[in-house]
Amino acid sequence: MRIIKISMLALALGLMSFSAIAPVKALVSETNIATFDASTIVWKAETIDVGQIPQGTPKAIVYEFKNTGKTAVVITNVQGSCGCTATDYTKEPILPGKTAKVTATYNAANKGGFTKTVTVTTSAETAPKILTLKGTVI
């Protein structure tokens, strides 16, 4: 009987020690998340609706952003969601206070509504930014 009581006490103390550690880990991860959420890139628009565009005429959509941080930002990759969207972007480092552009050119080959995305990866953010373009080909 005494062994059972000692075992129960040891189990209870063991469980209490785990619960005391958990809030400390949560606090550390919340602090890290808050640090990463502070972006140094401010986009003029993340979604652009081009309205109606004629079939067979490629449409260039320009996304602009400003580097509001204290260090230069480099665009490391830009990828369209399909082969119908070509991309171009500022290749040189964007200094603090300066602006840059990402251009997506949509090939308006098929009639109807469309929604496409452009994924932009930079040195300033841990997660890529998803930009959206939409409209209707007539």
Side-chain angles (χ1 to χ4, degrees), residues 34-106:
T35 301
F36 289 126
D37 283 346
S39 178
T40 59
I41 293 177
V42 177
W43 291 91
K44 187 173 180 180
E46 294 179 25
T47 299
I48 296 179
D49 187 339
V50 296
Q52 294 185 340
I53 58 175
Q55 184 179 18
T57 305
K59 175 70 176 175
I61 299 97
V62 178
Y63 299 90
E64 293 182 56
F65 72 85
K66 183 174 185 176
N67 177 0
T68 60
K70 296 181 181 183
T71 59
V73 172
V74 176
I75 299 173
T76 55
N77 190 36
V78 176
Q79 182 69 45
S81 59
C82 67
C84 59
T85 307
T87 60
D88 191 21
Y89 57 94
T90 302
K91 307 289 192 284
E92 62 273 356
I94 301 95
L95 299 176
K98 299 297 181 182
T99 60
K101 296 178 182 179
V102 172
T103 304
T105 303
Y106 176 67

